[in-house]
């Protein structure tokens, strides 16, 4: 039965409450009986309002909250990061807020969990603010995903003693050097790439999942990409221990690599480097271009390719 709900919480959405007033309502406060609960997943739950008792489990280690945007009647839960103070042993925290506005707060509120948190995953949580560096001294933090949040900061502030346990890092585009960070001019790309490069050189095993930067559509260098091949994004490139970056399109048509490291010496992994380099070279579409062609050059190149 799709017309079913849980009892409304505090401060419910009034229109939603009025629309569902005659629906069967389930009381789930029985969950409070499970005082030794270690894992809690709230997914596609027809909740409306605030339920602070959901965040009062002293032994909870893992908390996952979210839902699918195609599921009806599930986007009315309201809660704030500050309520996580009620789960002092939390190690893994995950929240996906596709509906927007479900979760609010500042990531500074996570500091009450400094000594326990190992994984933080917040995706599409557009109301989450703060500076990601507020978590830099978390000794056990291994994964930090803040994609599509309003978190800010600057990756150039990451020092050698910050994020010591970190294995995976995904920062939003509001962070200088974050995933999808927008820069205003083609000439800005080198500084952005070098900022991310310095992190990778500092800790080679760190995974910067699907990292890219992009030229702003408000840039004087930007132009309409009717053919969807204009290389207006930058991404990191790795061949063995050698790092660099290149411009490429959303579907992978790339310029030449701008290497930031010298070619490695002929040592044990040199053959592996050559194999990876060959694979990289085969993906170069804009031969001879180390940065995006101008709009005129791009149109001429594409017309030439179509005629040939």
């Amino acid at each position: 039965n799709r017309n079913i709900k849980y009892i409304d919480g505090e401060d419910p959405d009034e229109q939603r409450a009025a629309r569902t007033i005659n629906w069967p309502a389930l009381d789930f406060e029985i969950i409070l009986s499970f005082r030794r609960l270690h894992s809690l997943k709230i997914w596609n739950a027809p909740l409306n309002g605030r339920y602070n008792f959901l965040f009062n489990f002293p032994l909870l280690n893992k908390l996952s909250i979210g839902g699918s945007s195609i599921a009806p009647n599930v986007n009315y839960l309201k809660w704030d990061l500050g309520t996580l103070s009620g789960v002092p042993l939390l190690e893994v925290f995950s929240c996906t807020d596709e509906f927007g506005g479900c979760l609010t707060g500042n990531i500074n509120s996570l500091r009450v969990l400094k000594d326990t948190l190992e994984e933080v995953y917040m995706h599409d949580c557009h109301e989450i603010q703060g500076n990601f560096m507020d978590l830099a001294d978390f000794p056990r933090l291994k994964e930090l995903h803040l994609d599509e949040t309003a978190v800010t900061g600057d990756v150039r502030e990451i020092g050698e003693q910050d994020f010591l346990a970190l294995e995976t890092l995904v920062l939003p585009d509001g962070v200088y050097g974050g995933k999808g960070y927008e820069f205003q001019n083609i000439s800005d790309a080198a500084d952005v790439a070098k900022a991310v490069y310095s992190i990778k050189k500092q800790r080679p095993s760190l995974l910067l999942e699907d990292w890219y930067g992009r030229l702003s559509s408000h840039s004087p260098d930007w132009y309409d990409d009717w053919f969807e091949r204009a290389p207006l994004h930058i991404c990191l490139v790795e061949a063995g221990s050698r790092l660099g970056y290149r411009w490429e399109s959303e579907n992978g048509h790339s310029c030449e690599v701008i290497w930031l490291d010298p070619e490695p010496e002929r040592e044990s992994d040199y053959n592996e480097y050559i194999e990876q380099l060959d694979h990289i070279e085969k993906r170069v579409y804009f031969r001879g271009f180390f940065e995006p062609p101008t709009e005129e050059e791009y149109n001429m190149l594409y017309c030439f390719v179509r005629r040939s």
Side-chain angles (χ1 to χ4, degrees):
N1 184 358
R2 300 176 70 180
N3 293 335
I4 198 168
K5 66 174 186 177
Y6 291 111
I7 291 176
D8 292 340
E10 298 178 7
D11 187 28
D13 180 89
E14 293 182 0
Q15 292 184 349
R16 158 78 174 171
R19 189 169 63 251
T20 62
I21 192 170
N22 293 320
W23 288 14
L26 304 177
D27 183 356
F28 67 115
E29 289 193 17
I30 190 175
I31 195 174
L32 290 174
S33 302
F34 299 91
R35 303 307 298 160
R36 300 183 62 82
L37 196 66
H38 286 265
S39 180
L40 175 61
K41 182 175 183 179
I42 303 171
W43 196 258
N44 287 345
L47 302 170
N48 183 16
R50 300 184 184 277
Y51 303 82
N52 289 337
F53 64 84
L54 288 175
F55 308 96
N56 187 23
F57 294 98
L59 300 180
L60 197 71
N61 301 132
K62 184 175 182 179
L63 175 63
S64 177
I65 298 178
S68 169
S69 59
I70 63 173
N73 309 317
V74 298
N75 57 333
Y76 297 94
L77 173 66
K78 300 177 183 179
W79 66 292
D80 186 272
L81 277 182
T83 58
L84 294 181
S85 60
V87 285
L89 298 183
L90 195 66
E91 298 175 358
V92 179
F93 168 57
S94 172
C95 180
T96 301
D97 188 7
E98 293 185 14
F99 317 106
C102 169
L103 174 61
T104 58
N106 191 301
I107 60 169
N108 183 266
S109 298
L110 295 177
R111 293 199 59 79
V112 297
L113 303 171
K114 172 186 171 182
D115 295 323
T116 61
L117 271 181
E118 297 181 4
E119 298 177 21
V120 175
Y121 182 97
M122 285 188 279
H123 182 71
D124 281 334
C125 299
H126 301 284
E127 302 299 320
I128 295 301
Q129 302 176 346
N131 191 311
F132 79 96
M133 288 297 293
D134 286 342
L135 312 184
D137 60 346
F138 281 38
R140 302 181 62 185
L141 189 61
K142 296 179 181 178
E143 296 192 21
L144 180 60
H145 297 253
L146 299 173
D147 199 17
E148 301 294 336
T149 67
V151 169
T152 58
D154 189 328
V155 298
R156 294 171 295 186
E157 296 180 3
I158 300 177
E160 292 185 2
Q161 298 303 311
D162 296 324
F163 298 107
L164 291 178
L166 204 61
E167 299 174 358
T168 302
L169 178 63
V170 181
L171 297 173
D173 57 13
V175 172
Y176 183 94
K179 178 181 175 181
Y181 175 76
E182 287 191 354
F183 40 88
Q184 292 302 309
N185 301 286
I186 288 176
S187 58
D188 297 331
D191 287 340
V192 176
K194 289 176 182 177
V196 180
Y197 161 82
S198 66
I199 299 173
K200 285 291 291 182
K201 295 304 290 184
Q202 185 185 108
R203 47 194 80 186
S205 62
L206 180 64
L207 175 62
L208 300 174
E209 196 171 273
D210 300 324
W211 183 86
Y212 69 96
R214 57 186 173 184
L215 184 66
S216 170
S217 60
H218 300 294
S219 167
D221 300 324
W222 188 88
Y223 48 86
D224 284 325
D225 181 13
W226 298 108
F227 309 126
E228 298 184 350
R229 294 184 177 182
L232 301 178
H233 294 64
I234 60 171
C235 67
L236 290 183
V237 177
E238 296 184 59
S241 60
R242 194 183 190 190
L243 289 175
Y245 72 96
R246 67 182 175 193
W247 290 88
E248 66 177 29
S249 67
E250 292 188 33
N251 57 10
H253 291 75
S254 67
C255 295
E256 305 277 5
V257 176
I258 300 172
W259 292 108
L260 300 175
D261 289 328
E263 188 173 29
E265 297 180 359
R266 295 178 179 272
E267 48 194 29
S268 58
D269 62 347
Y270 187 77
N271 289 336
E272 180 182 355
Y273 160 72
I274 292 297
E275 290 179 7
Q276 293 176 356
L277 181 64
D278 181 63
H279 177 73
I280 290 168
E281 291 295 328
K282 287 179 180 178
R283 290 190 58 190
V284 176
Y285 185 83
F286 296 92
R287 295 286 175 185
F289 286 88
F290 288 87
E291 61 181 34
T294 64
E295 183 174 13
E296 181 180 2
E297 290 172 327
Y298 174 69
N299 289 330
M300 290 180 62
L301 283 167
Y302 189 74
C303 289
F304 175 78
V305 170
R306 294 191 67 184
R307 288 197 302 267
S308 60

